[in-house]
Amino acid sequence: MCGIFCLLGEKSSSLDISKVLKTQNHRGPDYSDFLKINNLVLGSNRLKIIDLDDKANMPFSFGSIILIFNGFISNYKTLKEEMIKTGINFKTNCDTEVLAAMLDVYPYEVCISKLEGMWSFIAYDKRKEQIIISRDDYGIKPLFYFQDEKNLIFASEINTLFSFLNLSIDYTNVGKYFFADSFNKDPFATENTFFKNVYSYPASSYSILKLNKKQIEKLSFQKINRKFSNERLTNKEFYNLMERKFDEYKSADVKKCVPLSGGIDSNVINYFLRNEQNTSTLSISDMDLQSENNETNLIKKTVKNSKIPHEFVDTGQIISFDFFKNLISKFKNPVSSPVVINSAALRYTAKKNNIKVLYSGNGGDELFGGYAQQFIFYLKYLIKNKKFYKAYKLLINGSTICASGKNTNKIIKNYISGLKNSIKLTLSDNYLKNKSEFHNKKFFNSNFDFKPDDNMFFANPNEYNLHLIKNKRMPYWLATDDFVSSMYSIENRVPFLNQELVYMSQKIYDENNFHQRYTKYKIRKLFKNKISKYVIENKVKLNQPGSFDNFMFGKLFSMNRDTL
């Protein structure tokens, strides 16, 4: 993880770039520098992860390319081997040089289509006098931009733009976020922000700007094209693919950490990293030990025989009013869950332990059927396509997934509750298309002049799952995890969102992901003898530790009773 900054236009002659870069120094405290070429500025804050030598610092030059780059190219070793065979020589062991070399040698669109992992980068091609901008397929790495008639400015954080631009709030976008009850794209995390003329560079895109024009071009975007195999994989072949891809994500010359929960995804990551040096696990400790949905006891069983060092994080010793205030003051996203606060506490502990790489399980639920709404969508999909017997089997096998207030000791009650809820949701219009109605519709339309998008129909369950990753669920959490990690100078990796893994997961996704009252049945089956049986056999969706009400009205109130 690093911070990048680029400015093209009039402000390049007057702006104190060193001062600007200091605002995002937490993203890359190991080295900071910038390069000025006429009215173009390229700046970087580097967090040293792969190849700690200063030769890998940025801005990085290779041939005609000058590169600033935030992220991790997971398949860089494979790409490097390919280029060495063609006679290309390298002076470092970092992924930055591989990316710069590819941009220098290949056509831009070919280069970008070969990349896997997470990135936002800006490169200047001296030979062609062009700027190339790109962001990874799922927007794991942030990139914001501001454009007016005289300037085009990019930064890894809105706070960086805030440090020298007079930004004003876009109340229409605020309204969309807080009042729209629709199934549209997340209006905040995918494209727009809460500030006028500041946008989130779209995921899965690249842009090419020519610099030899009198005026700065208006930014336009081209989609990244991927070509993966269309062959359907066996479960064994998919496991082998996972093993190869997770192995690529191990590359780091620093300490690594897996935030371990009672869920499958973090335990899968932990399994693949089990023999890695300088790797540990951290877990949030839930003080509500009497709750049957508490995952602390499950984690204790899981780590009992683990070779990897493990530590519970006591958030009560870390989170204070000042801690919360510091998080809110820097955060440009709404804090919608105590999970954000717990994530910050965990990363605070990781930084104290000198950890620089952290592995997130984001994407696992979306890929393998971890949510009740995926079950309902699949049920509706089968009925819509007149596959009634399959729909009947799915309902009988998986309806417990939709049970209200599941209790591990009340199997029959859970089943009846789930069956009722499944039928009710199947008969509703949820999960299949956008809702055309909004809560507070009259107020909303009159104050924000907003019209809902056209209804979005998904042709199949895989399209729906990708919608959850690209548009609805995932963008907020990816942005949140990146920002909270960056506050503590930690790179947040998301191996489940490897491009080939996401694509090939569609080849094994079917109704059998919801089987024997389990969600994610296929992934459970793949790892049955590899991760803890307590995790594999757990049927209750465990809550992440923490209650927002308890935090706001319990802890914060007690800390500030006198003031209030």
Side-chain angles (χ1 to χ4, degrees):
M1 183 201 71
C2 300
I4 61 175
F5 176 79
C6 175
L7 192 160
L8 177 63
E10 284 188 358
K11 284 188 177 291
S12 62
S13 59
S14 59
L15 197 62
D16 186 341
I17 306 301
S18 295
K19 187 176 180 180
V20 171
L21 289 176
K22 284 182 181 178
T23 63
Q24 57 182 36
N25 193 60
H26 51 279
R27 298 191 68 90
D30 297 327
Y31 183 82
S32 180
D33 200 4
F34 67 92
L35 193 63
K36 216 172 199 181
I37 306 163
N38 299 322
N39 67 338
L40 172 67
V41 175
L42 296 169
S44 170
N45 306 85
R46 185 188 175 203
L47 181 69
K48 295 181 178 181
I49 301 292
I50 300 173
D51 192 344
L52 309 184
D53 195 282
D54 286 342
K55 289 179 181 178
N57 289 340
M58 294 177 285
F60 190 95
S61 294
F62 190 104
S64 67
I65 298 294
I66 301 174
L67 173 68
I68 52 174
F69 161 54
N70 171 28
F72 166 62
I73 307 301
S74 60
N75 62 335
Y76 80 99
K77 290 182 179 179
T78 301
L79 297 173
K80 185 175 182 178
E81 288 175 5
E82 289 178 6
M83 299 192 77
I84 288 173
K85 289 177 182 177
T86 66
I88 304 295
N89 295 316
F90 293 88
K91 63 180 181 181
T92 76
N93 294 316
C94 70
D95 53 341
T96 304
E97 185 176 21
V98 174
L99 174 55
M102 291 185 66
L103 288 166
D104 186 55
V105 172
Y106 293 112
Y108 305 143
E109 65 275 12
V110 173
C111 163
I112 294 169
S113 70
K114 286 176 172 284
L115 302 178
E116 294 180 23
M118 55 185 191
W119 68 83
S120 58
F121 72 76
I122 301 171
Y124 170 55
D125 191 326
K126 294 179 286 185
R127 184 173 60 248
K128 297 179 181 179
E129 291 191 71
Q130 293 178 336
I131 295 177
I132 311 98
I133 308 110
S134 181
R135 191 175 178 207
D136 66 74
D137 302 58
Y138 310 113
I140 300 171
K141 302 312 293 180
L143 185 62
F144 300 96
Y145 70 95
F146 169 93
Q147 186 165 22
D148 60 17
E149 293 179 356
K150 297 180 180 179
N151 296 281
L152 175 60
I153 308 168
F154 296 90
S156 293
E157 293 185 4
I158 294 178
N159 286 334
T160 306
L161 301 176
F162 224 97
S163 69
F164 65 92
L165 292 173
N166 186 22
L167 300 179
S168 55
I169 295 174
D170 188 326
Y171 288 101
T172 298
N173 286 341
V174 172
K176 287 180 184 180
Y177 186 90
F178 285 105
F179 294 103
D181 180 19
S182 72
F183 214 56
N184 302 318
K185 289 184 177 181
D186 182 331
F188 172 77
T190 54
E191 295 173 9
N192 298 310
T193 71
F194 291 155
F195 303 95
K196 292 181 179 179
N197 298 323
V198 177
Y199 306 93
S200 180
Y201 188 92
S204 192
S205 300
Y206 68 96
S207 304
I208 301 171
L209 288 177
K210 295 181 180 179
L211 298 187
N212 54 5
K213 292 189 175 183
K214 291 183 179 180
Q215 290 185 325
I216 299 173
E217 290 182 69
K218 186 176 180 180
L219 205 57
S220 61
F221 313 101
Q222 299 180 57
K223 283 294 176 184
I224 299 173
N225 291 316
R226 296 281 177 190
K227 290 183 180 180
F228 294 120
S229 171
N230 283 319
E231 292 183 14
R232 189 172 179 86
L233 298 182
T234 65
N235 289 345
K236 177 63 176 175
E237 288 170 337
F238 185 76
Y239 172 81
N240 291 338
L241 175 65
M242 286 188 72
E243 191 170 39
R244 291 197 304 274
K245 293 304 173 183
F246 275 72
D247 190 60
E248 291 177 346
Y249 278 75
K250 295 175 183 177
S251 294
D253 298 321
V254 293
K255 285 187 174 182
K256 298 171 283 192
C257 173
V258 179
L260 192 64
S261 71
I264 293 175
D265 304 326
S266 65
N267 278 275
V268 167
I269 297 173
N270 189 39
Y271 170 77
F272 282 122
L273 269 68
R274 67 193 183 282
N275 296 320
E276 283 292 289
Q277 297 291 321
N278 294 322
T279 302
S280 60
T281 56
L282 288 172
S283 302
I284 297 293
S285 179
D286 195 337
M287 295 299 103
D288 185 12
L289 295 178
Q290 301 307 312
S291 169
E292 71 169 41
N293 285 0
N294 178 284
E295 65 177 4
T296 300
N297 292 327
L298 184 56
I299 294 170
K300 287 179 179 178
K301 293 178 183 178
T302 300
V303 301
K304 189 174 181 180
N305 299 315
S306 175
K307 298 177 183 177
I308 299 178
H310 176 266
E311 176 185 349
F312 275 108
V313 177
D314 183 357
T315 57
Q317 300 299 315
I318 299 171
I319 298 173
S320 63
F321 182 77
D322 288 338
F323 184 90
F324 185 62
K325 182 180 177 182
N326 181 54
L327 177 65
I328 296 298
S329 66
K330 294 178 179 177
F331 212 49
K332 289 297 183 283
N333 295 19
V335 176
S336 60
S337 166
V339 174
V340 178
I341 304 162
N342 287 337
S343 294
L346 187 141
R347 285 154 176 81
Y348 170 87
T349 304
K351 184 176 175 65
K352 286 180 64 177
N353 294 346
N354 297 316
I355 289 163
K356 281 193 170 185
V357 174
L358 185 144
Y359 293 87
S360 162
N362 279 336
D365 282 329
E366 288 75 8
L367 293 184
F368 305 115
Y371 296 119
Q373 57 262 50
Q374 291 170 295
F375 167 76
I376 294 298
F377 182 88
Y378 216 121
L379 196 55
K380 289 189 172 189
Y381 166 76
L382 292 174
I383 294 170
K384 183 181 177 182
N385 287 276
K386 300 181 179 179
K387 298 179 180 180
F388 299 118
Y389 181 65
K390 280 192 173 183
Y392 167 76
K393 284 181 64 178
L394 179 61
L395 181 64
I396 297 302
N397 271 315
S399 59
T400 304
I401 293 165
C402 295
S404 303
K406 275 187 279 190
N407 186 310
T408 53
N409 299 317
K410 298 178 181 179
I411 297 174
I412 296 176
K413 185 178 180 180
N414 289 341
Y415 186 77
I416 294 171
S417 170
L419 200 61
K420 287 180 179 179
N421 289 339
S422 297
I423 294 170
K424 182 180 178 181
L425 289 168
T426 303
L427 294 174
S428 76
D429 65 350
N430 289 338
Y431 306 129
L432 191 61
K433 61 181 182 179
N434 275 349
K435 291 182 182 178
S436 59
E437 298 297 322
F438 295 87
H439 292 313
N440 304 310
K441 185 176 181 180
K442 184 177 179 180
F443 167 81
F444 192 77
N445 288 342
S446 61
N447 284 277
F448 298 105
D449 189 29
F450 175 73
K451 295 179 181 179
D453 294 342
D454 292 334
N455 287 343
M456 296 169 64
F457 289 87
F458 305 103
N460 55 60
N462 286 316
E463 279 192 14
Y464 179 71
N465 293 349
L466 288 175
H467 170 70
L468 295 180
I469 292 173
K470 292 182 176 182
N471 301 324
K472 195 61 187 173
R473 282 186 174 275
M474 196 53 56
Y476 173 83
W477 290 111
L478 291 175
T480 298
D481 278 357
D482 178 87
F483 187 82
V484 174
S485 297
S486 75
M487 285 179 63
Y488 299 100
S489 305
I490 293 171
E491 177 172 277
N492 194 75
R493 294 184 180 177
V494 194
F496 281 107
L497 292 185
N498 170 271
Q499 285 79 356
E500 186 175 1
L501 205 58
V502 171
Y503 183 84
M504 298 310 293
S505 70
Q506 300 175 47
K507 307 299 179 184
I508 67 162
Y509 187 82
D510 57 28
E511 64 271 19
N512 291 318
N513 281 282
F514 311 99
H515 189 60
Q516 295 181 4
R517 304 190 301 277
Y518 286 109
T519 57
K520 300 162 78 169
Y521 180 77
K522 282 195 171 183
I523 205 74
R524 291 175 192 268
K525 193 173 179 180
L526 278 179
F527 288 88
K528 184 176 180 180
N529 298 314
K530 297 177 175 65
I531 65 177
S532 168
K533 70 173 184 177
Y534 302 108
V535 173
I536 293 293
E537 295 174 0
N538 179 56
K539 292 179 181 176
V540 177
K541 185 80 172 177
L542 296 172
N543 300 325
Q544 295 201 43
S547 159
F548 202 70
D549 288 344
N550 287 341
F551 177 77
M552 292 299 297
F553 302 112
K555 187 174 181 62
L556 285 188
F557 180 80
S558 63
M559 286 190 295
N560 297 277
R561 190 186 305 271
D562 294 338
T563 304
L564 297 171

